[in-house]
């Protein structure tokens, strides 16, 4: 179970069975921004405010710093090993099959659960738009899950199933459509900053950390979700032209642009409407997504940003820009499905590579005879994403997703250090600067954010890991191609791969 798949074998396999390389630095950066900017900033701003108050600005900086050092490690590995599989592939080459399996298993939490979280975020904005722009009263029972004061979130489940259908059918490559959707999100955030920042009231920043630094740490662990997506760029390494140069540009460039936006947007929310958490009778903050907070918000009449399911649109309506707030809701409704699609695409890519290595059944990489897409695993993934979205609130889903992401990021940071020692002469088109400092900082930062997650989330991750170990020893340990020295046999049609960001319906 400690067997490794040598880098030379991975690269040789990629050369023989590679996907078409067509993505340049601009497309990669747009792909990264498209995957990053989504529910994290549009929705989780309210979650962060409930945990840290105005201190969520510091939480954004902490989470961004951890992502930055992790991105430098990712950039070295992605440029050196430009194949599909992301952290799973890197771990397989350096730390052995068991840890690689656990990383791949954790990435299921990152991508599939994240897609569910974004679906819930999309639902909040679309429902808010319908209620405010068209005066349609939609019962909470049908647009909120049982943990959030409702019964089932039908819009969230619906959009997840629509995206699943798109991925099964397959669409032609359209970098132009992806860039257009990214532009919508960037324009929406820019418009929010332009309208909110000039009317900030500095009194709203006091107290800056109402719940102390522990609240900031908890917010940083949750708001980390706002940066999830930059690593999805690495899943497109096999489809990148000149990956040795373009992968680092796409990874670090998209992360830097998004961090600037996040700090400006958070400042605008705090300065205009305030961001103090709702407290219980004992003076403690109520847990985001809890029935207690939902009840308190109902009593308050949703007069605080922490109660909003559409934080940015709600903020603009509160400061006298109701129509612009509706436009923000429309922008989120149009653009967030592309994030769902990117997350689900990343999930199928990880499953595909794990199946190619024999660690999962070959049926999971079965290709549809007409659409040339991995329809079996796409449908399975879509069903679970829809169930997550239907019954869980965005905050819980984001925290669960973060637990898997943090584990994968920490493994990549360790892999960079290990490979520097075990294979120092290998060509590294991009070298992580000050690796003996940066890589440990990335690993320690990930551990710090993990322990700052809610206790229930940590236990859920441990339970998921145990299930993963059972699956591995029941199937993957015996069927591994590396163990038997057999070549990979299950492959997507290289002439018609699923596009990393297919256009939305009607976009072509």
């Amino acid at each position: 179970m400690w067997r490794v798949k040598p880098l030379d074998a991975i690269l040789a396999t990629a050369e023989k069975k590679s996907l078409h390389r067509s993505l340049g630095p601009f497309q990669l950066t747009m792909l990264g921004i498209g995957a990053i900017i989504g529910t994290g900033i549009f929705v989780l701003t309210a979650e962060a405010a409930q945990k840290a108050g105005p201190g969520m600005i510091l939480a954004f900086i902490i989470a961004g710093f951890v992502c930055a050092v992790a991105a430098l490690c990712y950039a070295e590995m992605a440029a050196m090993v430009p194949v599909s599989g992301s952290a799973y592939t890197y771990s397989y080459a350096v730390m052995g099959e068991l840890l690689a399996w656990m990383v791949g298993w954790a990435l299921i939490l990152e991508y599939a659960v994240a897609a569910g979280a974004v679906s819930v975020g999309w639902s909040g904005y679309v429902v808010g738009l319908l209620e405010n722009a068209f005066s349609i009263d939609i019962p909470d029972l049908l647009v909120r899950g049982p943990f959030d004061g409702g019964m089932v979130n039908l819009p969230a489940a619906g959009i997840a199933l629509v995206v699943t259908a798109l991925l099964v059918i397959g669409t032609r490559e359209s970098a132009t459509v992806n860039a257009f959707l990214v532009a919508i999100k960037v324009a929406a955030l820019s418009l929010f900053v332009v309208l909110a920042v000039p009317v900030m009231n500095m009194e709203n920043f006091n107290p800056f950390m109402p719940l102390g630094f522990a609240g900031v740490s908890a917010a940083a662990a949750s708001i980390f979700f706002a940066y999830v997506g930059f690593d999805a760029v690495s899943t497109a390494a096999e489809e990148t032209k000149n990956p040795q140069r373009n992968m680092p540009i796409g990874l670090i460039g998209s992360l830097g642009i998004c961090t600037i936006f996040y700090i400006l947007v958070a400042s605008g929310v705090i300065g205009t409407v305030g961001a103090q958490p709702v407290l219980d009778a004992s003076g403690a903050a109520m847990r985001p997504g809890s029935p207690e907070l939902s009840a308190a918000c109902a009593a308050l009449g949703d007069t605080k940003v922490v109660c909003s399911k559409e934080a940015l649109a709600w903020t603009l309506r509160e400061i006298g820009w109701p129509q612009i707030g509706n436009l923000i809701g429309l922008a989120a409704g149009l653009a967030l499905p592309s994030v769902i699609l990117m997350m689900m695409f990343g999930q199928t890519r990880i499953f595909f590579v794990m199946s190619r290595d024999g660690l999962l059944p070959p049926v999971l990489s079965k290709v549809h005879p007409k659409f040339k897409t991995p329809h079996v695993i796409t449908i399975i993934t879509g069903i679970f994403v829809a169930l997550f979205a239907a019954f869980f609130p965005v905050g819980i889903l984001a925290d669960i997703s973060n637990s898997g992401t943090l584990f994968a990021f920490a493994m990549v940071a360790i892999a960079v250090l290990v490979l520097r020692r075990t294979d120092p002469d290998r060509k590294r088109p991009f070298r992580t600067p000050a690796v003996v400092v940066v890589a440990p900082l990335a690993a320690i930062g990930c551990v710090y954010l993990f322990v700052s997650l809610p206790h229930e989330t940590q236990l859920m991750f441990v339970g998921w890991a145990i299930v993963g170990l059972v699956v591995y020893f029941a199937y993957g340990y015996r069927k591994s191609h590396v163990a038997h020295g057999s070549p990979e046999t299950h492959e997507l049609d290289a002439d018609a791969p699923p596009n990393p960001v297919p256009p939305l319906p009607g976009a072509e």
Side-chain angles (χ1 to χ4, degrees):
M1 62 185 177
W2 303 112
R3 53 204 175 216
V4 300
K5 186 175 184 182
L7 279 176
D8 291 333
I10 293 174
L11 295 172
T13 297
E15 287 300 319
K16 291 185 294 183
K17 305 180 179 182
S18 63
L19 301 172
H20 177 62
R21 297 188 183 277
S22 60
L23 301 176
F26 176 76
Q27 288 95 339
L28 281 175
T29 302
M30 290 298 99
L31 187 118
I33 295 174
I36 295 170
I37 294 180
T39 292
I41 186 61
F42 280 99
V43 179
L44 289 182
T45 302
E47 300 277 339
Q50 176 60 17
K51 293 181 177 181
M56 68 175 171
I57 292 179
L58 185 56
F60 272 116
I61 295 173
I62 293 172
F65 173 77
V66 174
C67 273
V69 289
L72 291 173
C73 297
Y74 252 94
E76 177 169 325
M77 295 299 294
M80 185 170 52
V81 192
V83 298
S84 293
S86 187
Y88 160 76
T89 299
Y90 310 152
S91 301
Y92 208 159
V94 179
M95 294 181 291
E97 187 173 275
L98 178 61
L99 286 177
W101 165 267
M102 294 308 298
V103 168
W105 194 248
L107 288 176
I108 297 174
L109 290 182
E110 174 182 349
Y111 289 117
V113 179
V118 179
S119 298
V120 176
W122 177 88
S123 172
Y125 270 89
V126 170
V127 169
L129 176 64
L130 293 174
E131 291 183 337
N132 286 278
F134 302 102
S135 300
I136 299 175
D137 186 18
I138 303 176
D140 285 347
L141 286 177
L142 302 180
V143 296
R144 296 190 180 190
F147 296 94
D148 201 21
M151 182 175 65
V152 61
N153 194 330
L154 291 179
I159 191 62
L161 293 176
V162 168
V163 170
T164 300
L166 274 177
L167 285 172
V168 169
I169 295 172
T171 54
R172 66 175 175 83
E173 186 172 8
S174 182
T176 302
V177 171
N178 177 54
F180 175 70
L181 293 175
V182 172
I184 288 178
K185 289 186 285 190
V186 172
L189 293 183
S190 299
L191 183 59
F192 178 87
V193 170
V194 168
L195 295 177
V197 169
V199 296
M200 289 193 305
N201 181 354
M202 300 310 294
E203 293 181 0
N204 287 332
F205 287 84
N206 292 313
F208 186 71
M209 293 190 294
L211 302 176
F213 194 76
V216 172
S217 297
S222 293
I223 212 65
F224 183 81
F225 184 82
Y227 294 95
V228 170
F230 83 86
D231 63 305
V233 175
S234 66
T235 67
E238 265 187 71
E239 298 160 82
T240 300
K241 296 182 294 186
N242 191 11
Q244 289 77 8
R245 178 180 70 91
N246 294 336
M247 288 303 299
I249 293 175
L251 284 165
I252 300 173
S254 57
L255 181 65
I257 292 171
C258 292
T259 300
I260 294 172
F261 268 117
Y262 288 178
I263 293 175
L264 290 174
V265 170
S267 299
V269 171
I270 297 166
T272 53
V273 297
Q276 297 298 326
V278 176
L279 306 179
D280 61 19
S282 66
M286 298 182 184
R287 184 172 60 83
S290 66
E292 293 78 14
L293 181 59
S294 296
C297 286
L300 290 169
D302 289 350
T303 57
K304 287 181 175 288
V305 70
V306 298
C307 298
S308 175
K309 302 298 179 185
E310 38 160 3
L312 305 191
W314 180 87
T315 298
L316 289 178
R317 295 188 189 108
E318 288 294 303
I319 63 175
W321 297 97
Q323 297 305 319
I324 302 299
N326 291 338
L327 285 178
I328 296 292
L330 178 62
L334 290 174
L336 288 184
S338 70
V339 184
I340 303 170
L341 191 148
M342 186 63 213
M343 294 296 105
M344 291 181 64
F345 170 84
Q347 176 66 81
T348 58
R349 267 292 175 268
I350 297 298
F351 270 131
F352 162 64
V353 178
M354 294 174 75
S355 178
R356 181 170 72 179
D357 289 336
L359 299 181
L360 288 173
V363 68
L364 296 182
S365 56
K366 186 177 180 181
V367 177
H368 193 282
K370 177 181 178 181
F371 301 128
K372 304 299 182 183
T373 57
H375 60 293
V376 175
I377 190 55
T378 300
I379 292 173
I380 293 173
T381 299
I383 291 173
F384 277 97
V385 170
L387 290 174
F388 295 151
F391 297 109
F392 293 94
V394 64
I396 291 177
L397 291 174
D399 285 343
I400 295 172
S401 175
N402 287 347
S403 66
T405 307
L406 290 167
F407 177 76
F409 285 7
M411 290 298 102
V412 171
I414 294 171
V416 169
L417 279 178
V418 171
L419 200 58
R420 284 287 188 97
R421 177 173 292 275
T422 59
D423 196 358
D425 298 326
R426 180 171 293 276
K427 181 182 177 182
R428 289 172 169 80
F430 177 85
R431 297 178 67 90
T432 302
V435 68
V436 295
V437 176
V438 171
L441 275 177
I444 293 172
C446 289
V447 172
Y448 159 70
L449 291 180
F450 182 85
V451 299
S452 298
L453 287 169
H455 185 60
E456 308 86 53
T457 302
Q458 297 173 17
L459 292 177
M460 189 172 296
F461 177 81
V462 172
W464 179 252
I466 293 173
V467 172
L469 288 173
V470 171
V471 174
Y472 171 72
F473 285 109
Y475 184 88
Y477 178 75
R478 296 180 293 107
K479 299 291 187 177
S480 167
H481 289 148
V482 171
H484 296 285
S486 58
E488 297 82 358
T489 57
H490 303 282
E491 193 68 37
L492 287 174
D493 184 347
D495 294 327
N499 176 40
V501 186
L504 297 178
E508 290 185 282

